[in-house]
């Protein structure tokens, strides 16, 4: 079973269409969609960390993933530096900004994506804050690779770790902005990657 967690319906819409997922009846806290074979399930968590963690905890309890289960967090993010909107990354490091804790999904599978760290923040970062963070990293001569910013990935990892191993969790992020996002989501951003994402998930 592949369980996909998205914060917003706009992020999930094309995945629902591609896999012909149908809404499950009886789920009261979160919207849940699945295919006829129950091999793919998609959950819309809502934004912010507590909502995402609650969704993972509840769904994992109702549908225990076991050794054959996989968790995929798919959604949009902000990015600093010379990164194009619409570019897609697989996260190899997750940092919880408020605590400084870091988490590392196992990168044991071959994949076609660029890799990057995702920093989970309590609020949307402004473009000025993202630029300042990039300048600080360069000044300190620390990791100069791409850094992404979202609100949920670190919480999803922590909640998921009770039911999944690090090799069973994946965090796929599409760059939608460079700070100060208005909360909307460009359907085209996901649509452009629909075929590519579908092929990868079905492999």
């Amino acid at each position: 079973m592949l369980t996909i967690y998205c914060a917003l319906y706009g992020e999930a819409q094309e995945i629902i269409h591609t896999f012909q997922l149908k809404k499950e009846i009886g789920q009261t806290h979160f919207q849940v969609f699945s295919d006829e074979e129950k091999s793919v399930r998609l959950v819309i968590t809502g934004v912010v960390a507590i909502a995402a963690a609650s969704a993972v905890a509840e769904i994992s309890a109702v549908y225990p993933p076991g050794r054959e289960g996989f968790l995929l967090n798919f959604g949009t993010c902000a990015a600093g530096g010379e990164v194009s909107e619409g570019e897609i990354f697989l996260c190899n490091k997750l940092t919880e900004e408020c605590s400084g804790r870091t988490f590392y999904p196992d990168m044991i599978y071959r994949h076609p994506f660029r890799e990057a760290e995702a920093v989970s923040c309590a609020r949307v970062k402004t473009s000025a804050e993202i630029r300042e963070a990039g300048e600080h990293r360069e000044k300190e001569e620390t990791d100069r690779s791409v850094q992404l910013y979202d609100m949920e990935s670190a919480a999803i990892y922590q909640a998921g770790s009770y039911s999944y191993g690090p090799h069973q969790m994946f965090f796929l992020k599409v760059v939608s902005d460079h700070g100060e996002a208005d909360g909307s989501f460009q359907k085209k951003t996901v649509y452009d990657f629909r075929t590519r994402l579908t092929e990868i998930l079905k492999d």
Side-chain angles (χ1 to χ4, degrees):
M1 164 64 71
L2 170 65
T3 305
I4 306 171
Y5 291 91
C6 299
L8 302 170
Y9 183 81
E11 296 170 333
Q13 189 171 5
E14 290 300 325
I15 299 175
I16 292 170
H17 173 75
T18 297
F19 288 98
Q20 299 182 1
L21 306 182
K22 305 297 182 182
K23 189 172 184 178
E24 293 188 6
I25 306 301
Q27 293 293 335
T28 57
H29 298 108
F30 306 96
Q31 293 187 70
V32 179
F33 302 81
S34 60
D35 61 359
E36 291 184 1
E37 295 78 19
K38 305 299 182 184
S39 61
V40 178
R41 179 171 283 114
L42 184 144
V43 184
I44 299 176
T45 68
V47 295
V48 307
I50 188 64
S54 298
V56 174
E58 179 174 317
I59 299 303
S60 297
V62 175
Y63 307 105
R67 295 182 178 179
E68 303 300 321
F70 289 94
L71 179 157
L72 171 64
N73 173 219
F74 176 73
T76 55
C77 66
E82 299 299 322
V83 180
S84 300
E85 293 184 8
E87 193 163 356
I88 193 165
F89 291 87
L90 185 66
C91 300
N92 56 15
K93 177 181 178 181
L94 308 172
T95 298
E96 186 177 61
E97 185 183 51
C98 64
S99 68
R101 297 178 65 193
T102 55
F103 310 94
Y104 296 88
D106 283 348
M107 309 299 287
I108 60 177
Y109 301 100
R110 295 181 63 182
H111 62 84
F113 304 109
R114 291 180 63 185
E115 297 181 12
E117 174 189 4
V119 178
S120 293
C121 311
R123 59 176 177 79
V124 175
K125 287 285 189 182
T126 66
S127 56
E129 287 172 329
I130 291 176
R131 286 195 302 271
E132 183 178 350
E135 291 170 358
H136 176 75
R137 292 167 69 203
E138 290 184 2
K139 182 178 179 179
E140 297 296 322
E141 296 187 351
T142 55
D143 182 9
R144 299 187 182 186
S145 61
V146 174
Q147 193 166 57
L148 311 176
Y149 298 87
D150 74 351
M151 300 178 74
E152 298 89 15
S153 58
I156 288 176
Y157 184 97
Q158 291 175 81
S161 64
Y162 288 94
S163 302
Y164 298 87
H167 64 290
Q168 294 175 286
M169 294 188 283
F170 306 91
F171 298 81
L172 208 55
K173 299 293 176 177
V174 179
V175 176
S176 61
D177 60 271
H178 295 88
E180 299 177 318
D182 61 3
S184 64
F185 182 74
Q186 295 292 331
K187 180 179 178 181
K188 184 177 182 300
T189 302
V190 177
Y191 182 83
D192 289 343
F193 288 96
R194 183 176 69 182
T195 301
R196 184 179 178 190
L197 180 62
T198 302
E199 292 174 351
I200 291 166
L201 293 179
K202 286 186 175 180
D203 284 343

